Amino acid sequence: MKKTIFILSVALVFLLIIWVVVRMHRADTVTHGDYQASTRDEKTTIYDIDDLEGQVAQIIPVGGFDYIRGGAQTENTMRRNESAFDMVDIYPRVMSGVDNPDTRTQILGIDISMPIIAAPAAAHGLAHVSAEAGSARGVAAAGTIMSVSTYASSTLAEVAGAGNGAPQWFQLYLSKDDVANRALVKSAENQGYRAIILTVDAPIGGNRVRDARNNFKFPLDLPNVPRSGGQGIGAIFAAAKNDLTPFDIMRVKSWTDLPIIVKGIQHPDDAEVAIAAGADAIWVSNHGGRQLDGAPAAFDVLPEIAKRVNKRVPIIFDSGIRRGQHVFKAIASGADVVAIGRPVIYGLALGGWRGVESVFEYLKTDLQRVMWLAGAQTVEEIKDIELRPRCMTAQCVEM
């Protein structure tokens, strides 16, 4: 009898330990129905941005993580977005007299602490309960620009309030309803957003195999999209305007006095068309490798687009930025500022708004280090630096 009581006591203690461990794990999550998003609120120690992906995979559900992390089809273009930066090198420069490089710059009349802004990305609520409002607070603390997607899981008012006056841009996916489109633009204008980003590279969704395998549907509503909860991204894209033309740029410009940034440019001719239609800035991006698999890396097309634009309008660049050297190389190749998407959401999941701030602080410090070693005192000086094409099998790759 005593032996039985002892065994039962041990079993109860063991079950209690398991219960405590599970409760401690779930303390970092919050439930949207059956979906659990992080509630962490802490500064995040970052040694390398690449480390964050694996850490986030441990704390949010697989469907949400794969949606955030995944690319189109084989994900080859997504991988090339990062590896393309390795095809050019930065000349180290010595005795340049550089001291404490200045990362401050300006874009569309907005002063920012670094040439790095937040790219628009859908459904930050998959990562953290504070969603885009949390991201906006972290971006504001870092002294740069927050871009908010039509497919955000926070309202425009919530994001604007969290930014507390910091500069924000609104990214517009045109729907088939122009009345609703115009209302969104006017709402953003009334909330104090400083520019409209018109995304033109997503008339339909890319073949996102991870989402299909997971049968992923948004577990939370996207306030700007009617009946979005329970839908997949493919269905949401299908409800958008699928036959975009340059006249859509003109139409959006007629609704507002805010600058119009055309996002998703991957060919010099399209940059030319966008500028002719009234674009106030060009955003070079392949949607983080989430649309057309088999497309070039975004960085590979940046120099030729920048050459065609020829400084007529500013150029924003995204897709694959993970390090200070990537920021440096993009600016030296024609970008005025760069944008980051997944790293922002990873920081949000790992530490809430403080995690987002940590991501920007890491990249700013890393960029400053590269500037110091490459002999660039200011961001403007980076633009005058020539990169060295890397040679392969005795043949140099031309950029």
Side-chain angles (χ1 to χ4, degrees):
M1 184 65 179
K2 289 183 177 180
K3 184 176 181 181
T4 302
I5 293 173
F6 175 75
I7 291 172
L8 288 172
S9 298
V10 171
L12 285 170
V13 170
F14 181 69
L15 289 172
L16 180 62
I17 291 171
I18 292 175
W19 180 82
V20 170
V21 169
V22 170
R23 292 289 294 178
M24 289 175 65
H25 172 71
R26 291 192 173 183
D28 286 333
T29 64
V30 68
T31 301
H32 297 287
D34 293 329
Y35 188 91
Q36 296 177 326
S38 170
T39 59
R40 294 185 177 190
D41 182 16
E42 59 195 18
K43 295 287 285 185
T44 304
T45 300
I46 301 174
Y47 301 105
D48 191 289
I49 294 292
D50 286 344
D51 296 341
L52 305 186
E53 186 176 291
Q55 295 171 27
V56 173
Q58 301 301 311
I59 64 171
I60 65 173
V62 65
F65 174 74
D66 279 353
Y67 173 78
I68 295 164
R69 182 263 176 209
Q73 211 151 352
T74 67
E75 300 185 339
N76 183 51
T77 293
M78 183 183 76
R79 289 189 294 271
R80 287 177 59 200
N81 277 339
E82 293 185 48
S83 64
F85 289 104
D86 295 331
M87 300 309 296
V88 293
D89 295 324
I90 303 167
Y91 287 100
R93 298 303 302 269
V94 299
M95 300 178 291
S96 61
V98 170
D99 185 26
N100 193 29
D102 186 356
T103 62
R104 292 173 299 174
T105 190
Q106 186 182 88
I107 183 78
L108 293 176
I110 301 171
D111 294 321
I112 49 179
S113 66
M114 65 189 87
I116 310 166
I117 68 173
H124 289 208
L126 294 172
H128 196 273
V129 62
S130 65
E132 284 79 5
S135 296
R137 185 177 176 187
V139 173
T144 188
I145 297 168
M146 172 72 181
S147 302
V148 185
S149 173
T150 296
Y151 302 154
S153 40
S154 297
T155 67
L156 292 179
E158 288 169 340
V159 179
N164 196 29
Q168 298 178 342
W169 293 344
F170 173 62
Q171 177 263 345
L172 177 67
Y173 283 111
L174 285 173
S175 74
K176 294 179 174 68
D177 183 349
D178 259 358
V179 174
N181 292 330
R182 186 168 185 170
L184 272 177
V185 170
K186 286 300 179 184
S187 176
E189 191 174 49
N190 292 338
Q191 294 289 343
Y193 288 77
R194 307 275 290 274
I196 302 298
I197 306 164
L198 178 62
T199 290
V200 295
D201 64 353
I204 61 170
N207 183 8
R208 302 184 189 180
V209 176
R210 290 174 184 265
D211 291 348
R213 285 176 176 154
N214 293 330
N215 191 27
F216 179 73
K217 305 289 191 297
F218 286 106
L220 59 161
D221 287 333
L222 310 178
N224 299 314
V225 184
R227 300 174 297 281
S228 52
Q231 291 194 66
I233 190 64
I236 290 174
F237 275 138
K241 192 175 192 298
N242 309 122
D243 56 350
L244 296 169
T245 73
F247 292 104
D248 291 301
I249 300 174
M250 300 177 189
R251 185 176 296 110
V252 176
K253 280 190 71 71
S254 73
W255 297 338
T256 180
D257 292 328
L258 294 176
I260 304 299
I261 304 164
V262 178
K263 182 179 184 293
I265 299 299
Q266 299 163 72
H267 193 286
D269 289 351
D270 288 338
E272 194 71 65
V273 168
I275 293 172
D280 297 291
I282 294 297
W283 193 313
V284 177
S285 168
N286 62 23
H287 220 102
R290 294 160 72 85
Q291 284 297 98
L292 178 61
D293 194 35
F299 181 66
D300 283 344
V301 299
L302 173 61
E304 56 188 298
I305 293 173
K307 183 178 180 180
R308 180 73 70 86
V309 170
N310 193 27
K311 301 182 180 179
R312 284 176 289 169
V313 296
I315 293 176
I316 301 109
F317 171 86
D318 78 34
S319 298
I321 297 289
R322 297 295 183 271
R323 295 177 179 81
Q325 60 157 301
H326 296 167
V327 180
F328 188 101
K329 289 175 179 179
I331 294 171
S333 299
D336 291 284
V337 301
V338 306
I340 54 174
R342 292 180 182 94
V344 172
I345 302 177
Y346 293 159
L348 182 68
L350 293 170
W353 73 268
R354 290 181 174 86
V356 172
E357 183 184 20
S358 298
V359 166
F360 280 97
E361 286 178 346
Y362 171 84
L363 286 171
K364 178 182 177 181
T365 299
D366 200 34
L367 171 62
Q368 191 175 46
R369 181 185 300 112
V370 175
M371 292 171 67
W372 221 317
L373 295 173
Q377 181 66 46
T378 66
V379 173
E380 285 301 309
E381 288 184 10
I382 299 175
K383 296 177 182 181
D384 294 327
I385 286 177
E386 184 176 352
L387 302 175
R388 180 183 184 276
R390 184 167 294 183
C391 293
M392 300 175 62
T393 61
Q395 184 175 3
C396 287
V397 177
E398 293 185 1
M399 293 300 296

